[in-house]
């Protein structure tokens, strides 16, 4: 893929595989996001994960550092949201130009960003994990079939207030799971919720954007 924005790719842009725009958490294109990209590629998708922080300086994060979360929050606060949406849309448009179908999949920060992208662009499907910006985006209405995952013990999002606004989407809630429950870092991870949500994600994508491996 040719892009001014730095991107990570899994698969070949010249293939006939449907394209997935994978949008990062606040921790950037981390090992976790790269693993999810590999998981999606194994299902038969061409996956692109752009570096949304590329316009910022001093963005290196150490996931073992005790100040990981506040440092990552500081990065997000320096980010121009509208520019981030525009950057993500530009990458999506390159995927759409391939003519093989597109999905937007995002986690946490990327879940909200993906929702915004899907509302102003035209992917074929949206998968959003506990989108952190959703409370201020609910006046937007993505037209693509959408899947949302939320933990019922999320202390960052008021899930009860968000879900009624997602009436046209497929929504799942997970008891005992907090915010970012799919992230394998011990402070976040809920193995049971993560596994079930991923199975549902695979099924949703297979129904709405099947691959040759489906």
């Amino acid at each position: 893929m040719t892009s001014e924005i730095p991107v990570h790719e899994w698969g070949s842009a010249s293939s006939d595989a449907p394209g997935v725009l994978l949008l990062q958490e606040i921790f950037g294109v981390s090992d976790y996001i790269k693993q999810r990209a590999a998981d999606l590629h194994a299902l038969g998708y061409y996956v692109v994960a752009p570096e949304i922080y590329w316009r910022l300086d001093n963005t290196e994060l150490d996931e073992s550092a005790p100040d990981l979360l506040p440092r990552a929050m500081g990065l997000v606060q320096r980010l121009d949201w509208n520019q981030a949406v525009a950057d993500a849309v530009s990458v999506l448009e390159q995927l759409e130009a391939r003519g093989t179908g597109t999905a937007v999949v995002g986690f946490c920060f990327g879940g909200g960003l993906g929702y915004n992208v899907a509302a102003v662009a035209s992917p074929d499907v949206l998968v959003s994990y506990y989108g952190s910006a959703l409370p201020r985006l609910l006046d937007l209405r993505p037209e693509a079939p959408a899947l949302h995952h939320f933990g019922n013990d999320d202390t960052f999002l008021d899930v009860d207030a968000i879900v009624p606004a997602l009436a046209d989407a497929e929504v799942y809630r997970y008891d005992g799971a907090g915010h970012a429950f799919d992230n394998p870092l011990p402070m976040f991870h809920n193995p049971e919720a993560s596994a079930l949500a991923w199975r549902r994600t695979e099924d949703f994508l297979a129904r709405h954007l099947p691959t040759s491996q489906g």
Side-chain angles (χ1 to χ4, degrees):
M1 173 175 287
T2 302
S3 174
E4 179 187 15
I5 303 164
V7 300
H8 304 261
E9 298 176 84
W10 288 260
S12 172
S14 62
S15 73
D16 60 1
V20 173
L21 173 63
L22 180 60
L23 296 172
Q24 66 186 53
E25 290 187 316
I26 62 172
F27 307 119
V29 184
S30 61
D31 288 344
Y32 155 57
I33 293 299
K34 292 175 181 177
Q35 180 57 59
R36 280 306 186 210
D39 294 338
L40 289 164
H41 179 54
L43 297 175
Y45 297 99
Y46 166 59
V47 185
V48 176
E51 291 277 0
I52 298 298
Y53 292 154
W54 75 288
R55 295 177 185 273
L56 303 176
D57 58 9
N58 194 24
T59 60
E60 293 298 319
L61 293 172
D62 178 359
E63 291 194 57
S64 66
D67 64 344
L68 171 65
L69 190 55
R71 180 159 163 66
M73 292 295 290
L75 280 175
V76 169
Q77 290 166 8
R78 290 198 284 130
L79 192 70
D80 182 318
W81 179 266
N82 290 334
Q83 184 64 66
V85 171
D87 284 346
V89 168
S90 71
V91 177
L92 177 64
E93 288 172 345
Q94 291 190 60
L95 285 175
E96 290 174 333
R98 297 171 63 248
T100 59
T102 56
V104 175
V105 179
F107 297 85
C108 193
F109 162 75
L113 183 64
Y115 184 90
N116 200 150
V117 167
V120 300
S122 54
D124 295 296
V125 61
L126 166 67
V127 178
S128 173
Y129 278 69
Y130 34 78
S132 55
L134 281 176
R136 60 184 175 84
L137 300 174
L138 294 176
D139 58 329
L140 301 177
R141 287 290 181 269
E143 294 185 3
L147 169 65
H148 292 264
H149 301 290
F150 299 100
N152 277 332
D153 291 353
D154 194 323
T155 59
F156 183 79
L157 291 174
D158 184 349
V159 177
D160 287 336
I162 294 171
V163 169
L166 303 175
D168 295 332
E170 195 168 317
V171 178
Y172 292 102
R173 302 175 63 165
Y174 301 86
D175 289 338
H179 195 69
F181 66 78
D182 191 57
N183 188 308
L185 289 175
M187 71 177 91
F188 303 120
H189 197 47
N190 182 297
E192 293 79 13
S194 173
L196 178 55
W198 192 253
R199 288 196 297 273
R200 287 169 168 166
T201 294
E202 290 178 336
D203 175 69
F204 189 80
L205 289 172
R207 283 186 280 126
H208 294 285
L209 191 66
T211 72
S212 60
Q213 296 175 211

